[in-house]
């Protein structure tokens, strides 16, 4: 869409004067130097006004870009889980409790859910690459400060800052893919991209456990700083800017050009308005509630795994990390299986009822396996640890649960996208933000809950909550089409995703 040249909210004006020391005029040498510096700066920071079309990139170039953004997506989840096996040692070194350590997990989860909304908005205004570079620098600095923290307060504050930087990869990567890949070919690209975040969850605790055991817990944060530096170099020198805008013609006498703070305020206002509107849609509210309960229950369990395996089986940090690897493997398997199963369900319905008679709520039928797998996974994990059965048994429980978790998240994420054309980014943003905030609260009480009732009772309660939670998705399956059409009739065809941009927050 051609932009109105009279609107300047997305423009940045930079004026450089290179004068000679003699008479104030530009010499040929000055111009050459300025031209070289300008080209170098443009290559580093990117140019949203470039004349090329990212959709026309070669397939090889697109594959390289997808690979880079997939690596960028690792940082958020790996930063979240890498020090889970280190919690007992960190608590001891900082002379604090495991409950206090859970606070550092809580703030990370909160800012990991909220910060992507800011990065999405800013990247749509100034480009993906500046947002990438800024966020990675923040992540690197915060990781270094975390590694030298002497108190739980310092660690908590800079874990929050670290989350703000590390979480950008999920949002910006999705935006980059949408900028350069046509909608009919995005499925494969997103499939490759989401391997990054899933691998982060799978290998984060394993890497953290090994590093903690042999080099101390601070080495986990050094690793994150090094990882951030590698990603920063790759983004800076290998990733092109993919946002494209028409360069406005500016006049220095134009008083209509708003100030920079006004740019940011307007952009953020436009980003949050659609989300507020979406809170009036019962289908979004119920699906968000469904995913939030699942996410919160899991983060009630996650911090207790290290304590349970250390106390019950005498596991060292590296061995605890390997137990998280089983959960990560289940996520990867569950993601693949649930995606194929959702496609199978919709294809079968189209063949049976006709494509014109299939509506988005029907994809939620693909979540049926999760109704069984998640409670069963909780029961297996909780009661086998209580009975002190061999370690293989609770690991099976974690694996079964993680497959069930993806069997729930994949169909509901697809539903939010398919049922809200023109508003999907808003719907997904609400879902991710709310579930992160609620999960951060449950995390704080997880260790206290474990010590109060034990793993068996705790997991039984979590399984029961997840069974009751099924009501939310069933209500949407039955009444969702009616509620959705009523909401759309009231609010119109929708607030375009261009308000938020193509930077949809991650489904993971």
């Amino acid at each position: 869409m051609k932009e109105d040249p009279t609107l300047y909210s997305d423009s940045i004006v930079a004026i450089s004067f290179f004068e000679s020391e003699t008479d104030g005029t530009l010499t040929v040498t000055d111009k050459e130097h300025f031209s070289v510096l300008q080209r170098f700066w443009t290559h580093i920071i990117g140019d949203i006004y470039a004349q090329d079309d990212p959709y026309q990139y070669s397939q090889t170039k697109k594959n390289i870009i997808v690979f880079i953004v997939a690596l960028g997506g690792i940082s958020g989840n790996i930063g979240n889980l890498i020090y889970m096996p280190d919690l007992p040692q960190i608590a001891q070194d900082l002379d604090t409790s495991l409950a206090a350590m859970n606070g550092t997990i809580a703030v990370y989860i909160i800012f990991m859910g909220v910060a992507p909304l800011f990065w999405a908005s800013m990247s749509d205004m100034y480009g993906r690459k500046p947002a990438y570079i800024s966020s990675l620098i923040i992540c690197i600095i915060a990781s270094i400060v975390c590694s030298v923290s002497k108190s739980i307060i310092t660690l908590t504050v800079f874990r929050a800052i670290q989350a703000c930087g590390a979480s950008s990869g999920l949002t910006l990567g999705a935006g980059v893919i949408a900028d350069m890949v046509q909608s009919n070919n995005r499925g494969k690209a997103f499939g490759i991209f989401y391997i990054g975040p899933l691998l982060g969850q799978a290998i984060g605790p394993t890497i953290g456990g090994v590093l903690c055991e042999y080099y101390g817990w601070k080495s986990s944060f050094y690793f994150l700083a090094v990882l951030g530096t590698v990603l920063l170099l790759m983004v800076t020198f290998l990733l092109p800017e993919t946002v494209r805008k028409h360069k406005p013609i500016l006049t220095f006498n134009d008083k209509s050009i708003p100030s920079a703070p006004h740019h940011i305020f307007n952009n953020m206002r436009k980003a949050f308005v659609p989300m507020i509107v979406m809170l009036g849609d019962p289908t979004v509210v119920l699906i968000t509630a469904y995913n939030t309960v699942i996410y919160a229950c899991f983060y009630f369990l996650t911090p207790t795994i290290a304590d349970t395996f250390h106390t019950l089986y005498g596991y060292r940090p590296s061995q605890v990390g390997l137990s998280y690897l089983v959960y990560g493997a289940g996520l990867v398997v569950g993601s693949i299986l649930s995606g194929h199963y959702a496609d199978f369900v919709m294809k079968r319905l189209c063949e049976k009822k006709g494509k014109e008679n299939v509506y988005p709520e029907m994809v939620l039928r693909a979540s049926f396996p999760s109704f069984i797998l998640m409670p069963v996974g909780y029961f297996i994990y909780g009661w086998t640890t209580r009975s002190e059965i061999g370690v293989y048994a609770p690991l099976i429980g974690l694996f079964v649960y993680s497959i069930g978790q993806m069997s729930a998240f994949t169909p509901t994420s697809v539903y939010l996208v398919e049922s809200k054309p023109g508003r999907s980014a808003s719907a997904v943003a609400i879902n991710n933000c709310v579930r992160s905030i609620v999960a951060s609260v449950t995390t704080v009480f997880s260790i206290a809950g474990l010590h109060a009732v034990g793993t068996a009772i705790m997991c039984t309660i979590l399984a029961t909550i997840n069974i009751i939670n099924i009501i939310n998705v069933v209500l949407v399956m039955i009444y969702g089409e009616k509620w959705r059409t009523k909401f759309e009739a009231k609010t119109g065809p929708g607030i375009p995703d261009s308000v938020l941009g193509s930077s949809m927050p991650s489904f993971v």
Side-chain angles (χ1 to χ4, degrees), residues 66-330:
V66 170
F67 174 73
I68 293 173
V69 298
L71 289 179
I74 288 179
S75 60
N77 285 334
I78 202 173
N80 182 21
L81 297 175
I82 192 170
Y83 85 148
M84 289 291 187
D86 310 353
L87 292 179
Q89 183 176 330
I90 300 175
Q92 182 178 355
D93 288 355
L94 298 183
D95 192 24
T96 189
S97 65
L98 284 176
M101 286 303 304
N102 284 348
T104 67
I105 301 173
V107 297
Y108 192 98
I109 297 171
I110 289 176
F111 285 94
M112 192 174 175
V114 175
L117 304 180
F118 171 81
W119 294 120
S121 178
M122 293 302 99
S123 70
D124 288 333
M125 185 191 303
Y126 300 118
R128 314 291 182 213
K129 199 168 182 179
Y132 258 124
I133 292 174
S134 301
S135 62
L136 287 171
I137 291 174
I138 291 172
C139 180
I140 293 168
I141 295 174
S143 297
I144 294 173
V145 176
C146 284
S147 69
V148 297
S149 296
K150 301 295 184 182
S151 69
I152 187 64
I153 295 176
T154 303
L155 182 62
T156 302
V157 170
F158 280 90
R159 279 291 282 173
I161 297 173
Q162 183 188 44
C164 291
S167 63
S168 68
L170 299 173
T171 295
L172 299 179
V176 168
I177 291 175
D179 292 338
M180 67 176 187
V181 181
Q182 298 286 356
S183 58
N184 58 332
N185 293 319
R186 286 178 189 165
K188 182 180 178 181
F190 274 106
I192 297 172
F193 168 67
Y194 284 125
I195 290 176
L198 290 175
L199 279 179
Q201 289 182 298
I203 67 177
T206 304
I207 294 174
V210 173
L211 289 174
C212 178
E213 181 172 341
Y214 293 102
Y215 302 103
W217 62 268
K218 295 183 178 182
S219 61
S220 295
F221 292 106
Y222 290 136
F223 174 84
L224 292 175
V226 172
L227 175 63
T229 302
V230 172
L231 291 174
L232 178 61
L233 292 173
M234 292 182 67
V235 167
T236 301
F237 296 104
L238 299 179
L239 185 69
E241 177 57 64
T242 55
V243 171
R244 291 294 177 266
K245 295 180 180 293
H246 293 287
K247 191 171 185 178
I249 301 174
L250 301 178
T251 60
F252 297 106
N253 295 324
D254 195 336
K255 297 181 180 180
S256 65
I257 304 176
S259 62
H262 191 59
H263 293 339
I264 297 174
F265 174 78
N266 283 340
N267 196 274
M268 294 301 291
R269 178 181 59 81
K270 292 177 182 178
F272 284 97
V273 165
M275 300 177 205
I276 296 173
V277 172
M278 293 298 292
L279 292 175
D281 189 338
T283 62
V284 173
V285 172
L286 289 175
I287 292 298
T288 297
Y290 176 70
N291 285 333
T292 297
V293 169
I294 295 172
Y295 206 64
C297 287
F298 170 69
Y299 269 99
F300 194 94
L301 172 68
T302 302
T304 70
I305 295 175
D307 184 75
T308 299
F309 278 73
H310 174 73
T311 304
L312 187 60
Y313 299 107
Y315 267 25
R316 303 188 306 274
S318 61
Q319 293 173 309
V320 172
L322 290 174
S323 67
Y324 283 96
L325 187 61
V326 174
Y327 163 72

Side-chain angles (χ1 to χ4, degrees), residues 45 54 61 64 145 148 173 187 205 216-217 302 345 353 409 430 470:
I45 207 70
K61 186 172 184 177
I64 293 173
V145 176
V148 297
W217 62 268
T302 302
V345 168
K353 296 178 175 290
F409 284 160
I430 292 171
I470 295 172

